[in-house]
């Protein structure tokens, strides 16, 4: 009954939700999925006027034009998705042919390999260098069969980033039939001055696409709104394989209203910086390696101890973090930077787990 290709697909396993544990741990906190701990950037009540009995039309919604103005691109260069995940599938569906390959990195977002499996593309993973995506390693693995290159920038789960110059180097060494996709889900958190000026690159390179999301900084993870920016020809072809009404009207309105909440954005960024500094200082007592993060999470590698049971031990103490075993990393965890109270709770419970015989 089923296509044989699905035999090699492992379903995506999301982080454990706080709701699933509330009966056993009523005060549990979730620091596993890089959600915004300060909530959404808009009030759902302010969007209650959306006529939910009607189909949405995002081409007529002011979100597209507002986004285009904010990014200094044309509306014809934008496409919306039910989260960035849907955009990755649309990209693969529109480009992959038999024998094609998708190139990305090891220890990165699992959706890139997933779309390779569902489209029968081969998947090639280039090694990281110092927990960072290596552009030379990617370039060395480009072949005539490489149709897509996915780069998470900043990388999930390590939090490290690739510079503007490095992305230019990749684009200069990528054949025109290969589409480079920069997944910038955490771009708004970045403070590095040499982070890619991706909108300028999109206008310079016709085989580049940038994706972003409202799930992280704007706190709309439950509503699933992602967007892509590329050459109009790329966008036109992606629309051919996009499901009609793929982004619901409530999500459109909330995303639109979120764009103007500058105070919320600034608060989130300020607290994220403060929280990252606190966690780094608190973790200095342990023998860990934490790569510099340009996102809203920290990748914590333990150098002198086994942490096989640490995620489960923390859950029993009401703290949900992300194990890195599915990324092939057996001695590391990923922790979302939370509120001050959440960060303090995590450090307290972590210390108890690491010091209890």
């Amino acid at each position: 009954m089923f296509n044989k290709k699905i035999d090699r697909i492992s379903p995506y396993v999301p982080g454990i939700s706080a709701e699933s544990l509330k009966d056993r741990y009523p005060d549990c906190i979730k620091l596993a999925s890089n959600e915004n701990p300060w909530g959404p950037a808009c009030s759902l009540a302010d969007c209650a006027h959306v006529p939910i009995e009607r189909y949405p039309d995002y081409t007529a919604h002011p979100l597209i034009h507002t986004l285009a103005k904010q990014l200094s691109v044309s509306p014809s260069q934008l496409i919306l998705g039910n989260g960035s995940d849907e955009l990755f599938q649309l990209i693969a569906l529109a480009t992959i042919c038999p024998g094609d390959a998708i190139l990305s990195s090891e220890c990165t977002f699992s959706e890139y390999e997933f779309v390779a499996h569902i489209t029968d593309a081969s998947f090639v993973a280039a090694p990281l260098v110092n927990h960072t995506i290596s552009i030379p390693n990617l370039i060395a693995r480009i072949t005539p069969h490489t149709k897509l290159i996915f780069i998470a920038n900043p990388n999930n789960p390590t939090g490290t980033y690739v510079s503007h110059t490095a992305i230019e180097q990749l684009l200069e060494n990528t054949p025109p039939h290969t589409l480079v996709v920069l997944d910038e889900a955490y771009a708004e958190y970045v403070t590095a001055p040499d982070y890619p000026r991706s909108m300028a690159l999109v206008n310079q390179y016709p085989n580049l696409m940038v994706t972003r999301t409202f799930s992280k900084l704007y706190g709309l993870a439950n509503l699933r709104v992602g967007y892509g920016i590329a050459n109009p020809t790329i966008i036109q072809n992606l629309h051919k394989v996009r499901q009609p009404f793929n982004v619901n009207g409530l999500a459109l309105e909330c995303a639109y209203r979120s764009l103007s909440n500058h105070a919320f954005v600034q608060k989130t960024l300020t607290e994220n910086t403060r929280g990252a500094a606190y966690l780094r200082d608190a973790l200095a007592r342990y023998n860990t390696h934490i790569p510099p993060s340009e996102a809203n999470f920290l990748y914590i590698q333990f150098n002198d101890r086994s942490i096989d049971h640490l995620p489960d031990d923390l859950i029993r103490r009401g703290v949900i973090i992300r194990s890195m075993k599915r990324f092939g990393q057996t001695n590391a965890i990923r922790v979302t930077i939370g509120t001050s109270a959440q960060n303090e709770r995590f450090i307290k419970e972590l210390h108890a787990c690491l010091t209890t015989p």
Side-chain angles (χ1 to χ4, degrees):
M1 178 186 295
F2 297 103
N3 191 315
K4 290 295 183 183
K5 68 185 177 185
I6 71 169
D7 290 342
R8 58 188 176 130
I9 297 175
S10 297
Y12 179 77
V13 180
I16 298 170
S17 69
E19 289 79 7
S20 68
L21 298 177
K22 65 181 180 181
D23 290 340
R24 285 181 291 167
Y25 311 106
D27 63 341
C28 72
I29 59 172
K30 183 183 178 185
L31 300 175
S33 298
N34 308 334
E35 297 146 332
N36 191 325
W38 301 100
C42 71
S43 168
L44 198 59
D46 290 339
C47 303
H49 64 280
V50 174
I52 60 175
E53 75 279 7
R54 298 177 186 168
Y55 291 112
D57 180 7
Y58 80 57
T59 60
H61 197 278
L63 174 62
I64 283 286
H65 291 277
T66 303
L67 263 180
K69 183 177 181 180
Q70 180 173 301
L71 297 169
S72 299
V73 298
S74 165
S76 64
Q77 292 179 268
L78 288 169
I79 185 171
L80 301 182
N82 186 30
S84 298
D85 299 349
E86 185 195 26
L87 294 176
F88 302 147
Q89 293 193 35
L90 294 181
I91 292 165
L93 185 62
T95 60
I96 295 298
C97 298
D100 285 343
I102 292 177
L103 174 60
S104 190
S105 172
E106 65 180 11
C107 195
T108 195
F109 190 37
S110 61
E111 284 297 289
Y112 313 147
E113 186 172 3
F114 172 76
V115 298
H117 290 326
I118 64 175
T119 56
D120 273 339
S122 57
F123 183 77
V124 180
L128 298 177
V129 174
N130 296 326
H131 296 94
T132 303
I133 292 174
S134 167
I135 296 304
N137 284 346
L138 286 173
I139 292 172
R141 287 161 177 78
I142 296 175
T143 74
H145 299 289
T146 306
K147 184 62 69 71
L148 290 174
I149 301 175
F150 282 107
I151 301 174
N153 198 32
N155 185 42
N156 178 12
T158 61
T160 54
Y161 79 101
V162 179
S163 71
H164 184 92
T165 301
I167 294 298
E168 279 189 312
Q169 180 187 13
L170 173 66
L171 291 165
E172 289 295 330
N173 286 275
T174 300
H177 74 273
T178 301
L179 179 63
V180 176
V181 181
L182 280 184
D183 175 4
E184 295 188 343
Y186 302 92
E188 293 93 347
Y189 289 94
V190 176
T191 60
D194 58 345
Y195 186 70
R197 300 180 295 280
S198 52
M199 295 307 103
L201 293 174
V202 162
N203 290 325
Q204 183 178 353
Y205 294 92
N207 62 332
L208 172 65
M209 183 169 184
V210 175
T211 63
R212 292 184 179 176
T213 182
F214 283 89
S215 294
K216 307 304 180 183
L217 177 67
Y218 292 102
L220 303 184
N222 204 334
L223 291 177
R224 317 302 301 125
V225 190
Y227 58 98
I229 312 103
N231 181 286
T233 300
I234 292 175
I235 300 300
Q236 290 167 11
N237 281 286
L238 292 181
H239 277 303
K240 295 177 182 178
V241 295
R242 176 179 65 83
Q243 289 285 343
F245 320 122
N246 63 325
V247 181
N248 71 78
L250 186 61
L252 292 171
E253 186 67 15
C254 286
Y256 169 63
R257 289 176 177 271
S258 295
L259 285 175
S260 61
N261 194 344
H262 305 298
F264 175 88
V265 167
Q266 190 53 57
K267 174 187 176 180
T268 294
L269 296 178
T270 298
E271 294 295 340
N272 190 72
T273 299
R274 182 180 292 122
Y278 166 79
L279 289 174
R280 286 184 174 279
D281 289 344
L283 289 164
R285 74 177 81 173
Y286 309 107
N287 184 7
T288 60
H289 174 66
I290 306 174
S293 176
E294 290 288 339
N296 67 339
F297 58 84
L298 297 181
Y299 177 92
I300 306 166
Q301 177 180 299
F302 292 82
N303 297 326
D304 61 351
R305 68 181 75 215
S306 170
I307 60 164
D308 282 348
H309 304 294
L310 180 59
D312 289 336
D313 291 343
L314 283 169
I315 284 177
R316 283 190 285 270
R317 293 177 175 273
V319 178
I320 308 169
I321 53 88
R322 190 70 155 158
S323 169
M324 292 291 95
K325 287 183 179 180
R326 288 183 63 85
F327 292 88
Q329 311 301 310
T330 58
N331 66 332
I333 59 174
R334 189 192 66 197
V335 178
T336 304
I337 300 166
T339 64
S340 296
Q342 290 171 340
N343 295 334
E344 291 169 6
R345 170 94 177 273
F346 163 67
I347 292 297
K348 174 187 174 183
E349 303 300 352
L350 175 69
H351 183 71
C353 289
L354 296 179
T355 55
T356 300

